[in-house]
Amino acid sequence: MNVDSPVTQGGGWLSQLRWNRRVRGRVVSFSAHFSMILLSLIFLIPMFWMLSTSLKSRAQTWLFPPEWIPNPVVWEHFPRIFEVAPVLLFFQNTMIIVFWNVLGQVFSTSLVAFGFARLRFPGRDVLFILLIATLMIPYQVTLIPTFILFKLFGWINTFLPLTVPAFTGSAFFIFLMRQYLMSLPFDLDDAARMDGCNTFQVLLFILLPLCIPPLVIVVVFTFIGVWNDFLGPLIYLNENTKYTIALGLNLLRGRNRTDYNVLMAASLLAVLPTLIVYFLAQNKLIGGIASVGLKG
Amino acid sequence: MSRQARREAIEGYICISPWLVGFVMFVAGPILASLLLSLTYWDIGSAPRWVGLQNYVEIFTNDGDFLQALKVTLTYAVVTLPLHLVLGLALSLLLNLRLRGMNFYRTLFYIPAVLPIVAVTMLWIWIFNPEFGVINHLLSLVGIEGPTWFHSPRWALPGLMLLGLWGVGGGAVIYLAGLQNIPPHLYEAAEIDGANIWRRFWRITLPLLTPTLFFQLVLNLIATFQVFTQSYIATQGGPLQATFFYMLYIYNKAFGTLRMGYGSALAWILTLIILAVTLLVFRSSPHWVYYEAERRKEDA
C-alpha cells in the first residue's frame, strides 16, 4: 500500500491507466455483448427454424417469405412420425447400442488406462506411443477389412459390429484417462496395498472413485458419438427393424422427401437426447475437451 | 526379474489386453488386410483374384471419378480449414472476454458440434430450400436472389461448407482452453509497457496459442478428408458430382458395387495423402509453433 502510493501521487499515470481501463472496459463490454447476441442468432436461428417448422401447419410451411412463428401451433406432425416409420423401435435399437458402448468403453478405458498409468511392464512405453499413433489413422483404411471380418463372423445385420469394438477401448479415451490417472498420487496405491488390496481392488475401490471427471467425459462422448453415428449403422444394418435413429431419419426422408414438417419434428426428437445429455454434462464436458486440447 | 516385478508385468498385460486385442483385430490387422486387398479383384461373391498393382494403375490413369472426388475433397479442405481456424479463433477470443452470461454463450456455441449430423443435414436442406428456405429469404431482404444451393452444381459445395461452419464452436472451445492457459501477467506487463490490444494479440496471444492451433489443424485436416454423411444425405455427391467427396466414392465402390479391392486401393491412396499432408504440417511446425518449454531450454 505504502509502496505504490508514491507512484500514484508522483506520476498519476497508474490511476490514469486504471481510468482508461474502466472506460475502455465499458466500450469493450458493450460491443462484446452486442456481437455475442448477434452471433447467438446465427446459432439459434437454425434451431428455432427446426422447432418452428415442426409445429407449423402445412399451409403455413409453404409460404414465401417464410413465417417464423407457427400460427396456429399444430402438434399433428409428431404423432405422424410414428405412423410413417417404427420410430419407437429405432429409439430402442439406438439405446441398446448406446448402452453396450458406454458399458464397454467405461470398462476397457479404465482397465487399459490403469495398466498404462500405474503398472510397470516391459514394452509399456512403446505400446503407449503406438496407441497415440493410432489416433492419426483415418478410419476409412480399416473400414473395408473390418466389414469383411464381421461378415466372416456372420455379424452383419446384428448390433455386434457396432457394440463389440467398444470393449477394446478407444485410443482417445484411454489417453485422456491415463493422463488423469497419472496426476493422482501413487501414495494412494501404496497405502491401499499395505491394507491388503490387490491390484484390481486398488483400481476398483481407490482410483476409479476419483476418476469421475474423465469417466463422465467417456460416457457423454460415447453416448453422443454412438447416438449420432451414421456410417456404422449404414454399413452394418440392412433391415428396417434393426435401424438406429440416424438411419431412421434418413429412411423417413426417403419416404416423405418433401414433408418438412414431419422431417423437422423427427429431427427434433433425434436431437433431443443428445441435447439433454449435453446440458446435463456441459460444464465437465467443455472442461474435458479443453484439457485434451491442451495436451497437443 | 523379481517375483513381484513379474507379477506386476503380468497384471499390466492383463490390463491392457482389451486394447491389444482391439489393436490387432481392428487396427493393425485391417490395415495390413486392406493393403493386400488393394492388390486384388474381389466382389465378395467369388474368391479374391490377385491383380498386382492393376487397381492403382487404373485409378491413376483411367478414373475420372477419382480425380473429381479428389478435387472436391481438396477444394473443401483448402477453403474450410483456414476458415475454421480463423473464425474459431475469433470466436474463442470473444468467449474469453470477462462478460456476464459467458457460460451461456459457450454452451450455446458448442451445441451444433454435439448434434447428430443427420438431423443437422436435414435441417440445412430445409434452410437451403431454394424457394421456401430461410437463407434465400434473408438474402432477398438485402436484394440478392439466392441460388438453388444443393440443386446447383456451383452452389452445392459452398452450401455444405456453410453447413460445416455452423459447427465452428467445437474448435472455439479448444482455442478457449489455450487462451485461458496464457499467464495473465504477460498481458499486464505488456500493457504497462504500452503495447496496444492489437500488438498484444500478435506478440503474446498468437505465439502462445500456436501449439493449440497446430493440434486443431491436424485434427481438422484428418476430419476434413473424411466428410461423408452430409454429402451422402443432402446431395448424394451431386448435382453433376459437385459434392462427390472422396469418402463417398470409397463407399460407393466398396458397398455399392462391392468392389472391395478397388475400394481398398482408394482408401490407401487417401490415407497416404492424409499422412503426407499431416507430415508436412508436422515438418513445418518448428517454424511457426512456439513451445514455451523449448524456449526456456534455449535461454538457459
Side-chain angles (χ1 to χ4, degrees), chain B residues 21-82:
Chain B
V21 170
F23 177 75
V24 172
M25 281 185 65
F26 303 130
V27 183
I31 288 181
L32 215 68
S34 130
L35 189 61
L36 292 175
L37 267 178
S38 75
L39 303 172
T40 65
Y41 177 93
W42 194 31
D43 55 11
I44 290 193
S46 54
R49 198 177 72 234
W50 189 263
V51 294
L53 290 174
Q54 197 188 306
N55 287 329
Y56 290 96
V57 172
E58 193 182 332
I59 289 170
F60 283 120
T61 57
N62 189 24
D63 188 346
D65 287 353
F66 165 72
L67 288 179
Q68 177 64 16
L70 206 59
K71 196 181 116 196
V72 167
T73 309
L74 287 179
T75 310
Y76 186 85
V78 168
V79 176
T80 58
L81 280 176

Side-chain angles (χ1 to χ4, degrees), chain A:
Chain A
M1 287 155 273
N2 277 340
V3 182
D4 42 320
S5 58
V7 181
T8 355
Q9 281 163 11
W13 61 271
L14 197 58
S15 64
Q16 178 68 32
L17 187 71
R18 278 192 189 132
W19 192 80
N20 278 349
R21 241 188 220 178
R22 202 181 309 151
V23 171
R24 211 180 51 218
R26 236 170 248 172
V27 175
V28 167
S29 133
F30 176 78
S31 44
H33 267 297
F34 185 74
S35 24
M36 279 324 219
I37 290 168
L38 217 66
L39 277 170
S40 305
L41 288 182
I42 297 180
F43 288 91
L44 279 175
I45 286 178
M47 294 298 296
F48 179 77
W49 186 236
M50 183 189 276
L51 179 71
S52 139
T53 306
S54 71
L55 295 173
K56 267 184 206 167
S57 69
R58 249 162 250 264
Q60 203 194 359
T61 306
W62 301 100
L63 285 179
F64 196 90
E67 285 176 12
W68 292 95
I69 313 290
N71 178 29
V73 172
V74 171
W75 293 99
E76 66 179 40
H77 307 303
F78 285 91
R80 271 278 294 160
I81 303 169
F82 301 92
E83 291 165 22
V84 178
V87 174
L88 276 183
L89 190 63
F90 299 160
F91 265 93
Q92 193 189 322
N93 292 339
T94 317
M95 283 312 295
I96 292 171
I97 296 172
V98 165
F99 171 80
W100 288 110
N101 272 277
V102 168
L103 196 75
Q105 291 290 1
V106 167
F107 166 77
S108 55
T109 303
S110 314
L111 200 63
V112 175
F114 172 70
F116 277 122
R118 293 307 236 217
L119 300 174
R120 279 158 300 181
F121 50 89
R124 183 184 68 177
D125 297 337
V126 177
L127 286 173
F128 191 68
I129 290 173
L130 203 63
L131 177 127
I132 306 245
T134 61
L135 280 173
M136 300 278 183
I137 295 170
Y139 70 84
Q140 51 264 49
V141 74
T142 57
L143 187 70
I144 295 170
T146 312
F147 172 81
I148 293 165
L149 183 73
F150 288 136
K151 199 172 162 62
L152 287 178
F153 288 173
W155 285 4
I156 302 301
N157 206 25
T158 71
F159 295 158
L160 293 172
L162 304 171
T163 52
V164 170
F167 285 85
T168 68
S170 93
F172 177 76
F173 292 147
I174 294 170
F175 173 69
L176 179 80
M177 187 78 167
R178 184 244 185 200
Q179 300 306 95
Y180 194 87
L181 276 169
M182 297 283 271
S183 70
L184 300 177
F186 273 84
D187 301 346
L188 290 170
D189 308 33
D190 296 339
R193 277 175 205 273
M194 246 177 258
D195 287 344
C197 279
N198 67 34
T199 306
F200 298 98
Q201 285 168 331
V202 170
L203 170 65
L204 198 60
F205 300 123
I206 310 295
L207 296 177
L208 272 191
L210 297 171
C211 284
I212 300 301
L215 283 177
V216 168
I217 292 170
V218 170
V219 169
V220 172
F221 268 25
T222 303
F223 184 100
I224 292 176
V226 174
W227 189 274
N228 296 354
D229 185 24
F230 180 73
L231 183 59
L234 179 70
I235 289 174
Y236 291 115
L237 306 175
N238 40 37
E239 249 173 63
N240 286 358
T241 52
K242 298 274 169 57
Y243 273 14
T244 61
I245 279 294
L247 279 186
L249 261 184
N250 194 41
L251 178 82
L252 218 61
R253 176 155 182 267
R255 288 185 180 168
N256 293 16
R257 194 156 274 272
T258 53
D259 192 344
Y260 284 106
N261 304 111
V262 167
L263 279 178
M264 289 301 108
S267 297
L268 202 65
L269 285 188
V271 159
L272 221 51
T274 53
L275 267 188
I276 292 170
V277 170
Y278 169 64
F279 275 113
L280 287 179
Q282 56 96 3
N283 265 327
K284 287 200 176 88
L285 199 63
I286 288 183
I289 304 156
S291 70
V292 177
L294 283 177
K295 294 298 184 313

Side-chain angles (χ1 to χ4, degrees), chain B residues 15 22 25 30 39 44 48 50 60 63 82 86 98 102 133 141-142 165 198 207 221-222 230 232 238 286:
Chain B
C15 280
M25 281 185 65
L39 303 172
I44 290 193
W50 189 263
F60 283 120
D63 188 346
V86 173
R98 238 165 269 175
M102 205 42 112
L141 291 183
V142 288
L165 273 182
W198 195 237
L221 197 89
I222 296 174
Q230 303 92 299
Y232 179 87

Side-chain angles (χ1 to χ4, degrees), chain B residues 140-158:
Chain B
S140 76
L141 291 183
V142 288
I144 299 172
E145 193 186 332
T148 53
W149 296 108
F150 292 148
H151 304 276
S152 141
R154 179 140 179 243
W155 287 98
L157 192 58

